[in-house]
PDB file of all heavy atoms in Angstrom:
ATOM      1  N   LEU A  80     179.470  59.995  72.660  1.00  0.00           N
ATOM      2  CA  LEU A  80     180.434  59.010  72.219  1.00  0.00           C
ATOM      3  C   LEU A  80     181.299  58.420  73.369  1.00  0.00           C
ATOM      4  O   LEU A  80     181.508  57.208  73.386  1.00  0.00           O
ATOM      5  CB  LEU A  80     181.381  59.699  71.171  1.00  0.00           C
ATOM      6  CG  LEU A  80     182.358  58.765  70.495  1.00  0.00           C
ATOM      7  CD1 LEU A  80     181.653  57.635  69.774  1.00  0.00           C
ATOM      8  CD2 LEU A  80     183.250  59.572  69.538  1.00  0.00           C
ATOM      9  N   PRO A  81     181.740  59.246  74.320  1.00  0.00           N
ATOM     10  CA  PRO A  81     182.482  58.635  75.467  1.00  0.00           C
ATOM     11  C   PRO A  81     181.680  57.588  76.215  1.00  0.00           C
ATOM     12  O   PRO A  81     182.223  56.595  76.663  1.00  0.00           O
ATOM     13  CB  PRO A  81     182.827  59.815  76.316  1.00  0.00           C
ATOM     14  CG  PRO A  81     182.780  60.997  75.391  1.00  0.00           C
ATOM     15  CD  PRO A  81     181.724  60.716  74.443  1.00  0.00           C
ATOM     16  N   LYS A  82     180.364  57.859  76.435  1.00  0.00           N
ATOM     17  CA  LYS A  82     179.522  56.895  77.111  1.00  0.00           C
ATOM     18  C   LYS A  82     179.433  55.565  76.381  1.00  0.00           C
ATOM     19  O   LYS A  82     179.540  54.497  76.992  1.00  0.00           O
ATOM     20  CB  LYS A  82     178.113  57.479  77.334  1.00  0.00           C
ATOM     21  CG  LYS A  82     178.135  58.719  78.167  1.00  0.00           C
ATOM     22  CD  LYS A  82     176.708  59.261  78.358  1.00  0.00           C
ATOM     23  CE  LYS A  82     176.703  60.533  79.198  1.00  0.00           C
ATOM     24  NZ  LYS A  82     175.331  61.094  79.379  1.00  0.00           N
ATOM     25  N   ILE A  83     179.203  55.595  75.078  1.00  0.00           N
ATOM     26  CA  ILE A  83     179.095  54.391  74.305  1.00  0.00           C
ATOM     27  C   ILE A  83     180.427  53.691  74.110  1.00  0.00           C
ATOM     28  O   ILE A  83     180.547  52.510  74.383  1.00  0.00           O
ATOM     29  CB  ILE A  83     178.475  54.741  72.932  1.00  0.00           C
ATOM     30  CG1 ILE A  83     177.044  55.333  73.123  1.00  0.00           C
ATOM     31  CG2 ILE A  83     178.377  53.517  72.077  1.00  0.00           C
ATOM     32  CD1 ILE A  83     176.421  55.850  71.823  1.00  0.00           C
ATOM     33  N   VAL A  84     181.352  54.484  73.683  1.00  0.00           N
ATOM     34  CA  VAL A  84     182.688  53.934  73.345  1.00  0.00           C
ATOM     35  C   VAL A  84     183.394  53.450  74.631  1.00  0.00           C
ATOM     36  O   VAL A  84     183.951  52.354  74.690  1.00  0.00           O
ATOM     37  CB  VAL A  84     183.534  54.946  72.567  1.00  0.00           C
ATOM     38  CG1 VAL A  84     184.943  54.350  72.374  1.00  0.00           C
ATOM     39  CG2 VAL A  84     182.913  55.224  71.242  1.00  0.00           C
ATOM     40  N   ASN A  85     183.363  54.264  75.649  1.00  0.00           N
ATOM     41  CA  ASN A  85     184.071  53.871  76.880  1.00  0.00           C
ATOM     42  C   ASN A  85     183.463  52.604  77.498  1.00  0.00           C
ATOM     43  O   ASN A  85     184.212  51.760  78.032  1.00  0.00           O
ATOM     44  CB  ASN A  85     183.988  55.040  77.873  1.00  0.00           C
ATOM     45  CG  ASN A  85     184.862  56.218  77.470  1.00  0.00           C
ATOM     46  OD1 ASN A  85     185.734  56.048  76.612  1.00  0.00           O
ATOM     47  ND2 ASN A  85     184.653  57.339  78.080  1.00  0.00           N
ATOM     48  N   GLY A  86     182.132  52.433  77.516  1.00  0.00           N
ATOM     49  CA  GLY A  86     181.542  51.185  78.042  1.00  0.00           C
ATOM     50  C   GLY A  86     181.921  49.974  77.264  1.00  0.00           C
ATOM     51  O   GLY A  86     182.312  48.936  77.831  1.00  0.00           O
ATOM     52  N   ASP A  87     181.863  50.064  75.959  1.00  0.00           N
ATOM     53  CA  ASP A  87     182.247  48.929  75.110  1.00  0.00           C
ATOM     54  C   ASP A  87     183.720  48.615  75.263  1.00  0.00           C
ATOM     55  O   ASP A  87     184.127  47.476  75.391  1.00  0.00           O
ATOM     56  CB  ASP A  87     181.910  49.247  73.645  1.00  0.00           C
ATOM     57  CG  ASP A  87     180.407  49.277  73.440  1.00  0.00           C
ATOM     58  OD1 ASP A  87     179.678  48.781  74.295  1.00  0.00           O
ATOM     59  OD2 ASP A  87     179.985  49.851  72.431  1.00  0.00           O
ATOM     60  N   ILE A  88     184.529  49.690  75.229  1.00  0.00           N
ATOM     61  CA  ILE A  88     185.966  49.452  75.345  1.00  0.00           C
ATOM     62  C   ILE A  88     186.327  48.870  76.701  1.00  0.00           C
ATOM     63  O   ILE A  88     187.170  47.958  76.831  1.00  0.00           O
ATOM     64  CB  ILE A  88     186.714  50.753  75.098  1.00  0.00           C
ATOM     65  CG1 ILE A  88     186.551  51.169  73.608  1.00  0.00           C
ATOM     66  CG2 ILE A  88     188.202  50.608  75.431  1.00  0.00           C
ATOM     67  CD1 ILE A  88     187.194  52.528  73.284  1.00  0.00           C
ATOM     68  N   LEU A  89     185.669  49.407  77.785  1.00  0.00           N
ATOM     69  CA  LEU A  89     185.940  48.923  79.112  1.00  0.00           C
ATOM     70  C   LEU A  89     185.589  47.420  79.236  1.00  0.00           C
ATOM     71  O   LEU A  89     186.339  46.627  79.774  1.00  0.00           O
ATOM     72  CB  LEU A  89     185.157  49.762  80.143  1.00  0.00           C
ATOM     73  CG  LEU A  89     185.382  49.322  81.579  1.00  0.00           C
ATOM     74  CD1 LEU A  89     186.853  49.495  82.000  1.00  0.00           C
ATOM     75  CD2 LEU A  89     184.480  50.216  82.501  1.00  0.00           C
ATOM     76  N   GLY A  90     184.382  47.082  78.700  1.00  0.00           N
ATOM     77  CA  GLY A  90     183.986  45.689  78.729  1.00  0.00           C
ATOM     78  C   GLY A  90     184.915  44.823  77.929  1.00  0.00           C
ATOM     79  O   GLY A  90     185.264  43.702  78.326  1.00  0.00           O
ATOM     80  N   THR A  91     185.343  45.393  76.766  1.00  0.00           N
ATOM     81  CA  THR A  91     186.244  44.602  75.909  1.00  0.00           C
ATOM     82  C   THR A  91     187.589  44.419  76.624  1.00  0.00           C
ATOM     83  O   THR A  91     188.159  43.318  76.605  1.00  0.00           O
ATOM     84  CB  THR A  91     186.445  45.314  74.599  1.00  0.00           C
ATOM     85  OG1 THR A  91     185.194  45.484  73.930  1.00  0.00           O
ATOM     86  CG2 THR A  91     187.380  44.555  73.682  1.00  0.00           C
ATOM     87  N   PHE A  92     188.079  45.509  77.227  1.00  0.00           N
ATOM     88  CA  PHE A  92     189.366  45.393  77.956  1.00  0.00           C
ATOM     89  C   PHE A  92     189.247  44.472  79.150  1.00  0.00           C
ATOM     90  O   PHE A  92     190.206  43.664  79.421  1.00  0.00           O
ATOM     91  CB  PHE A  92     189.793  46.797  78.415  1.00  0.00           C
ATOM     92  CG  PHE A  92     190.585  47.519  77.371  1.00  0.00           C
ATOM     93  CD1 PHE A  92     190.061  48.645  76.693  1.00  0.00           C
ATOM     94  CD2 PHE A  92     191.872  47.124  77.040  1.00  0.00           C
ATOM     95  CE1 PHE A  92     190.766  49.310  75.742  1.00  0.00           C
ATOM     96  CE2 PHE A  92     192.601  47.789  76.083  1.00  0.00           C
ATOM     97  CZ  PHE A  92     192.062  48.917  75.431  1.00  0.00           C
ATOM     98  N   GLN A  93     188.116  44.501  79.853  1.00  0.00           N
ATOM     99  CA  GLN A  93     187.936  43.595  80.980  1.00  0.00           C
ATOM    100  C   GLN A  93     187.909  42.133  80.456  1.00  0.00           C
ATOM    101  O   GLN A  93     188.523  41.241  81.089  1.00  0.00           O
ATOM    102  CB  GLN A  93     186.611  43.890  81.672  1.00  0.00           C
ATOM    103  CG  GLN A  93     186.678  45.209  82.465  1.00  0.00           C
ATOM    104  CD  GLN A  93     185.388  45.529  83.120  1.00  0.00           C
ATOM    105  OE1 GLN A  93     184.332  44.904  82.832  1.00  0.00           O
ATOM    106  NE2 GLN A  93     185.405  46.570  83.998  1.00  0.00           N
ATOM    107  N   LYS A  94     187.166  41.925  79.337  1.00  0.00           N
ATOM    108  CA  LYS A  94     187.184  40.539  78.798  1.00  0.00           C
ATOM    109  C   LYS A  94     188.571  40.169  78.330  1.00  0.00           C
ATOM    110  O   LYS A  94     188.992  39.006  78.501  1.00  0.00           O
ATOM    111  CB  LYS A  94     186.226  40.495  77.623  1.00  0.00           C
ATOM    112  CG  LYS A  94     184.720  40.623  78.006  1.00  0.00           C
ATOM    113  CD  LYS A  94     183.838  40.577  76.801  1.00  0.00           C
ATOM    114  CE  LYS A  94     182.383  40.696  77.201  1.00  0.00           C
ATOM    115  NZ  LYS A  94     181.456  40.641  76.059  1.00  0.00           N
ATOM    116  N   LEU A  95     189.283  41.106  77.757  1.00  0.00           N
ATOM    117  CA  LEU A  95     190.638  40.809  77.290  1.00  0.00           C
ATOM    118  C   LEU A  95     191.531  40.496  78.463  1.00  0.00           C
ATOM    119  O   LEU A  95     192.345  39.555  78.379  1.00  0.00           O
ATOM    120  CB  LEU A  95     191.160  42.013  76.493  1.00  0.00           C
ATOM    121  CG  LEU A  95     192.580  41.840  75.902  1.00  0.00           C
ATOM    122  CD1 LEU A  95     192.587  40.660  74.918  1.00  0.00           C
ATOM    123  CD2 LEU A  95     192.994  43.128  75.200  1.00  0.00           C
ATOM    124  N   ASP A  96     191.404  41.299  79.531  1.00  0.00           N
ATOM    125  CA  ASP A  96     192.182  40.976  80.700  1.00  0.00           C
ATOM    126  C   ASP A  96     191.883  39.612  81.271  1.00  0.00           C
ATOM    127  O   ASP A  96     192.765  38.822  81.679  1.00  0.00           O
ATOM    128  CB  ASP A  96     191.931  42.043  81.789  1.00  0.00           C
ATOM    129  CG  ASP A  96     192.538  43.390  81.408  1.00  0.00           C
ATOM    130  OD1 ASP A  96     193.488  43.399  80.560  1.00  0.00           O
ATOM    131  OD2 ASP A  96     192.104  44.413  81.945  1.00  0.00           O
ATOM    132  N   ALA A  97     190.552  39.270  81.322  1.00  0.00           N
ATOM    133  CA  ALA A  97     190.161  37.988  81.827  1.00  0.00           C
ATOM    134  C   ALA A  97     190.705  36.845  80.944  1.00  0.00           C
ATOM    135  O   ALA A  97     191.201  35.837  81.440  1.00  0.00           O
ATOM    136  CB  ALA A  97     188.631  37.891  81.921  1.00  0.00           C
ATOM    137  N   ILE A  98     190.610  37.086  79.630  1.00  0.00           N
ATOM    138  CA  ILE A  98     191.129  36.052  78.680  1.00  0.00           C
ATOM    139  C   ILE A  98     192.624  35.899  78.852  1.00  0.00           C
ATOM    140  O   ILE A  98     193.178  34.796  78.875  1.00  0.00           O
ATOM    141  CB  ILE A  98     190.776  36.491  77.247  1.00  0.00           C
ATOM    142  CG1 ILE A  98     189.251  36.356  77.036  1.00  0.00           C
ATOM    143  CG2 ILE A  98     191.534  35.591  76.239  1.00  0.00           C
ATOM    144  CD1 ILE A  98     188.760  36.872  75.725  1.00  0.00           C
ATOM    145  N   GLU A  99     193.334  37.034  78.982  1.00  0.00           N
ATOM    146  CA  GLU A  99     194.800  36.997  79.169  1.00  0.00           C
ATOM    147  C   GLU A  99     195.147  36.278  80.479  1.00  0.00           C
ATOM    148  O   GLU A  99     196.116  35.499  80.536  1.00  0.00           O
ATOM    149  CB  GLU A  99     195.375  38.405  79.124  1.00  0.00           C
ATOM    150  CG  GLU A  99     195.331  39.031  77.743  1.00  0.00           C
ATOM    151  CD  GLU A  99     195.914  40.443  77.776  1.00  0.00           C
ATOM    152  OE1 GLU A  99     196.119  40.979  78.895  1.00  0.00           O
ATOM    153  OE2 GLU A  99     196.167  41.008  76.685  1.00  0.00           O
ATOM    154  N   SER A 100     194.333  36.592  81.539  1.00  0.00           N
ATOM    155  CA  SER A 100     194.593  35.957  82.861  1.00  0.00           C
ATOM    156  C   SER A 100     194.359  34.443  82.729  1.00  0.00           C
ATOM    157  O   SER A 100     195.148  33.589  83.231  1.00  0.00           O
ATOM    158  CB  SER A 100     193.679  36.572  83.905  1.00  0.00           C
ATOM    159  OG  SER A 100     193.883  35.929  85.153  1.00  0.00           O
ATOM    160  N   ASN A 101     193.223  34.060  82.088  1.00  0.00           N
ATOM    161  CA  ASN A 101     192.929  32.632  81.900  1.00  0.00           C
ATOM    162  C   ASN A 101     194.012  31.949  81.039  1.00  0.00           C
ATOM    163  O   ASN A 101     194.417  30.820  81.299  1.00  0.00           O
ATOM    164  CB  ASN A 101     191.576  32.445  81.258  1.00  0.00           C
ATOM    165  CG  ASN A 101     190.457  32.832  82.199  1.00  0.00           C
ATOM    166  OD1 ASN A 101     190.570  32.720  83.410  1.00  0.00           O
ATOM    167  ND2 ASN A 101     189.309  33.227  81.679  1.00  0.00           N
ATOM    168  N   LEU A 102     194.485  32.730  80.060  1.00  0.00           N
ATOM    169  CA  LEU A 102     195.513  32.182  79.184  1.00  0.00           C
ATOM    170  C   LEU A 102     196.794  31.935  79.962  1.00  0.00           C
ATOM    171  O   LEU A 102     197.457  30.874  79.791  1.00  0.00           O
ATOM    172  CB  LEU A 102     195.741  33.111  78.005  1.00  0.00           C
ATOM    173  CG  LEU A 102     196.786  32.650  76.977  1.00  0.00           C
ATOM    174  CD1 LEU A 102     196.313  31.319  76.345  1.00  0.00           C
ATOM    175  CD2 LEU A 102     196.947  33.736  75.920  1.00  0.00           C
ATOM    176  N   GLU A 103     197.108  32.877  80.822  1.00  0.00           N
ATOM    177  CA  GLU A 103     198.319  32.715  81.643  1.00  0.00           C
ATOM    178  C   GLU A 103     198.178  31.527  82.555  1.00  0.00           C
ATOM    179  O   GLU A 103     199.091  30.692  82.767  1.00  0.00           O
ATOM    180  CB  GLU A 103     198.599  33.966  82.430  1.00  0.00           C
ATOM    181  CG  GLU A 103     199.037  35.148  81.571  1.00  0.00           C
ATOM    182  CD  GLU A 103     199.203  36.411  82.399  1.00  0.00           C
ATOM    183  OE1 GLU A 103     198.943  36.359  83.624  1.00  0.00           O
ATOM    184  OE2 GLU A 103     199.654  37.457  81.829  1.00  0.00           O
ATOM    185  N   LYS A 104     196.962  31.391  83.210  1.00  0.00           N
ATOM    186  CA  LYS A 104     196.742  30.234  84.083  1.00  0.00           C
ATOM    187  C   LYS A 104     196.854  28.913  83.339  1.00  0.00           C
ATOM    188  O   LYS A 104     197.436  27.955  83.814  1.00  0.00           O
ATOM    189  CB  LYS A 104     195.359  30.385  84.759  1.00  0.00           C
ATOM    190  CG  LYS A 104     195.288  31.485  85.763  1.00  0.00           C
ATOM    191  CD  LYS A 104     193.921  31.527  86.373  1.00  0.00           C
ATOM    192  CE  LYS A 104     193.788  32.632  87.427  1.00  0.00           C
ATOM    193  NZ  LYS A 104     192.458  32.713  88.029  1.00  0.00           N
ATOM    194  N   LYS A 105     196.256  28.925  82.120  1.00  0.00           N
ATOM    195  CA  LYS A 105     196.302  27.689  81.323  1.00  0.00           C
ATOM    196  C   LYS A 105     197.747  27.361  80.934  1.00  0.00           C
ATOM    197  O   LYS A 105     198.143  26.192  80.947  1.00  0.00           O
ATOM    198  CB  LYS A 105     195.460  27.862  80.036  1.00  0.00           C
ATOM    199  CG  LYS A 105     193.953  28.000  80.317  1.00  0.00           C
ATOM    200  CD  LYS A 105     193.447  26.735  80.930  1.00  0.00           C
ATOM    201  CE  LYS A 105     191.889  26.838  81.166  1.00  0.00           C
ATOM    202  NZ  LYS A 105     191.341  25.618  81.838  1.00  0.00           N
ATOM    203  N   GLU A 106     198.476  28.398  80.585  1.00  0.00           N
ATOM    204  CA  GLU A 106     199.896  28.139  80.269  1.00  0.00           C
ATOM    205  C   GLU A 106     200.660  27.609  81.477  1.00  0.00           C
ATOM    206  O   GLU A 106     201.480  26.710  81.356  1.00  0.00           O
ATOM    207  CB  GLU A 106     200.543  29.476  79.797  1.00  0.00           C
ATOM    208  CG  GLU A 106     200.026  29.873  78.384  1.00  0.00           C
ATOM    209  CD  GLU A 106     200.639  31.197  77.979  1.00  0.00           C
ATOM    210  OE1 GLU A 106     201.250  31.845  78.809  1.00  0.00           O
ATOM    211  OE2 GLU A 106     200.445  31.594  76.767  1.00  0.00           O
ATOM    212  N   GLU A 107     200.352  28.215  82.692  1.00  0.00           N
ATOM    213  CA  GLU A 107     200.981  27.698  83.906  1.00  0.00           C
ATOM    214  C   GLU A 107     200.547  26.251  84.174  1.00  0.00           C
ATOM    215  O   GLU A 107     201.405  25.419  84.544  1.00  0.00           O
ATOM    216  CB  GLU A 107     200.622  28.586  85.076  1.00  0.00           C
ATOM    217  CG  GLU A 107     201.218  29.975  85.002  1.00  0.00           C
ATOM    218  CD  GLU A 107     200.762  30.840  86.150  1.00  0.00           C
ATOM    219  OE1 GLU A 107     199.930  30.393  86.984  1.00  0.00           O
ATOM    220  OE2 GLU A 107     201.236  32.042  86.284  1.00  0.00           O
ATOM    221  N   GLU A 108     199.255  25.985  83.983  1.00  0.00           N
ATOM    222  CA  GLU A 108     198.789  24.627  84.191  1.00  0.00           C
ATOM    223  C   GLU A 108     199.445  23.626  83.190  1.00  0.00           C
ATOM    224  O   GLU A 108     199.849  22.516  83.570  1.00  0.00           O
ATOM    225  CB  GLU A 108     197.262  24.542  84.055  1.00  0.00           C
ATOM    226  CG  GLU A 108     196.550  25.266  85.180  1.00  0.00           C
ATOM    227  CD  GLU A 108     195.040  25.290  84.952  1.00  0.00           C
ATOM    228  OE1 GLU A 108     194.552  24.728  83.945  1.00  0.00           O
ATOM    229  OE2 GLU A 108     194.312  25.806  85.845  1.00  0.00           O
ATOM    230  N   ILE A 109     199.530  24.095  81.965  1.00  0.00           N
ATOM    231  CA  ILE A 109     200.154  23.252  80.931  1.00  0.00           C
ATOM    232  C   ILE A 109     201.617  23.009  81.295  1.00  0.00           C
ATOM    233  O   ILE A 109     202.153  21.898  81.169  1.00  0.00           O
ATOM    234  CB  ILE A 109     200.004  23.898  79.518  1.00  0.00           C
ATOM    235  CG1 ILE A 109     198.544  23.890  79.071  1.00  0.00           C
ATOM    236  CG2 ILE A 109     200.886  23.165  78.525  1.00  0.00           C
ATOM    237  CD1 ILE A 109     198.275  24.640  77.794  1.00  0.00           C
ATOM    238  N   GLU A 110     202.323  24.054  81.733  1.00  0.00           N
ATOM    239  CA  GLU A 110     203.673  23.885  82.123  1.00  0.00           C
ATOM    240  C   GLU A 110     203.821  22.960  83.326  1.00  0.00           C
ATOM    241  O   GLU A 110     204.728  22.117  83.387  1.00  0.00           O
ATOM    242  CB  GLU A 110     204.290  25.265  82.483  1.00  0.00           C
ATOM    243  CG  GLU A 110     205.729  25.223  82.851  1.00  0.00           C
ATOM    244  CD  GLU A 110     206.655  24.800  81.746  1.00  0.00           C
ATOM    245  OE1 GLU A 110     206.220  24.885  80.574  1.00  0.00           O
ATOM    246  OE2 GLU A 110     207.786  24.396  82.030  1.00  0.00           O
ATOM    247  N   GLN A 111     202.894  23.113  84.302  1.00  0.00           N
ATOM    248  CA  GLN A 111     202.920  22.246  85.480  1.00  0.00           C
ATOM    249  C   GLN A 111     202.633  20.767  85.025  1.00  0.00           C
ATOM    250  O   GLN A 111     203.316  19.836  85.535  1.00  0.00           O
ATOM    251  CB  GLN A 111     201.889  22.688  86.520  1.00  0.00           C
ATOM    252  CG  GLN A 111     201.884  21.886  87.780  1.00  0.00           C
ATOM    253  CD  GLN A 111     203.184  22.012  88.534  1.00  0.00           C
ATOM    254  OE1 GLN A 111     203.750  23.099  88.614  1.00  0.00           O
ATOM    255  NE2 GLN A 111     203.684  20.886  89.074  1.00  0.00           N
ATOM    256  N   LEU A 112     201.690  20.631  84.161  1.00  0.00           N
ATOM    257  CA  LEU A 112     201.356  19.284  83.660  1.00  0.00           C
ATOM    258  C   LEU A 112     202.544  18.708  82.883  1.00  0.00           C
ATOM    259  O   LEU A 112     202.841  17.508  82.992  1.00  0.00           O
ATOM    260  CB  LEU A 112     200.148  19.330  82.728  1.00  0.00           C
ATOM    261  CG  LEU A 112     198.784  19.603  83.417  1.00  0.00           C
ATOM    262  CD1 LEU A 112     197.671  19.743  82.406  1.00  0.00           C
ATOM    263  CD2 LEU A 112     198.443  18.453  84.406  1.00  0.00           C
ATOM    264  N   ARG A 113     203.220  19.544  82.137  1.00  0.00           N
ATOM    265  CA  ARG A 113     204.418  19.082  81.398  1.00  0.00           C
ATOM    266  C   ARG A 113     205.510  18.633  82.391  1.00  0.00           C
ATOM    267  O   ARG A 113     206.131  17.579  82.209  1.00  0.00           O
ATOM    268  CB  ARG A 113     204.937  20.187  80.481  1.00  0.00           C
ATOM    269  CG  ARG A 113     206.054  19.752  79.595  1.00  0.00           C
ATOM    270  CD  ARG A 113     206.647  20.878  78.819  1.00  0.00           C
ATOM    271  NE  ARG A 113     207.294  21.847  79.718  1.00  0.00           N
ATOM    272  CZ  ARG A 113     208.507  21.641  80.248  1.00  0.00           C
ATOM    273  NH1 ARG A 113     209.210  20.520  79.967  1.00  0.00           N
ATOM    274  NH2 ARG A 113     209.034  22.512  81.037  1.00  0.00           N
ATOM    275  N   MET A 114     205.694  19.458  83.456  1.00  0.00           N
ATOM    276  CA  MET A 114     206.681  19.078  84.454  1.00  0.00           C
ATOM    277  C   MET A 114     206.289  17.783  85.179  1.00  0.00           C
ATOM    278  O   MET A 114     207.122  16.912  85.442  1.00  0.00           O
ATOM    279  CB  MET A 114     206.850  20.238  85.428  1.00  0.00           C
ATOM    280  CG  MET A 114     207.467  21.495  84.817  1.00  0.00           C
ATOM    281  SD  MET A 114     207.502  22.874  85.989  1.00  0.00           S
ATOM    282  CE  MET A 114     208.591  22.229  87.223  1.00  0.00           C
ATOM    283  N   ASP A 115     204.966  17.703  85.512  1.00  0.00           N
ATOM    284  CA  ASP A 115     204.496  16.470  86.170  1.00  0.00           C
ATOM    285  C   ASP A 115     204.689  15.280  85.232  1.00  0.00           C
ATOM    286  O   ASP A 115     205.042  14.174  85.695  1.00  0.00           O
ATOM    287  CB  ASP A 115     203.016  16.608  86.524  1.00  0.00           C
ATOM    288  CG  ASP A 115     202.788  17.651  87.643  1.00  0.00           C
ATOM    289  OD1 ASP A 115     203.778  17.953  88.336  1.00  0.00           O
ATOM    290  OD2 ASP A 115     201.630  18.108  87.811  1.00  0.00           O
ATOM    291  N   CYS A 116     204.408  15.482  83.971  1.00  0.00           N
ATOM    292  CA  CYS A 116     204.582  14.414  83.022  1.00  0.00           C
ATOM    293  C   CYS A 116     206.005  13.942  82.933  1.00  0.00           C
ATOM    294  O   CYS A 116     206.269  12.743  82.953  1.00  0.00           O
ATOM    295  CB  CYS A 116     204.059  14.865  81.642  1.00  0.00           C
ATOM    296  SG  CYS A 116     204.129  13.567  80.368  1.00  0.00           S
TER     297      CYS A 116
END
């Protein structure tokens, strides 16, 4: 169970971290675009 669950959870967490990082960048870009606008 640790091998199966830990791999899926790790991949999911990594994807989640990447999504959160991209989301933060997008929010920063949106904010920058708003300020530029």
Side-chain angles (χ1 to χ4, degrees):
L80 187 60
K82 297 179 180 180
I83 298 174
V84 174
N85 288 344
D87 292 342
I88 292 176
L89 181 60
T91 301
F92 274 109
Q93 290 177 347
K94 291 180 180 180
L95 182 60
D96 290 338
I98 292 173
E99 289 179 348
S100 178
N101 291 333
L102 182 60
E103 291 178 356
K104 290 181 180 180
K105 294 297 181 182
E106 289 177 350
E107 292 177 356
E108 291 176 358
I109 292 173
E110 182 63 21
Q111 184 63 42
L112 290 175
R113 187 187 65 78
M114 294 175 63
D115 292 342
C116 183

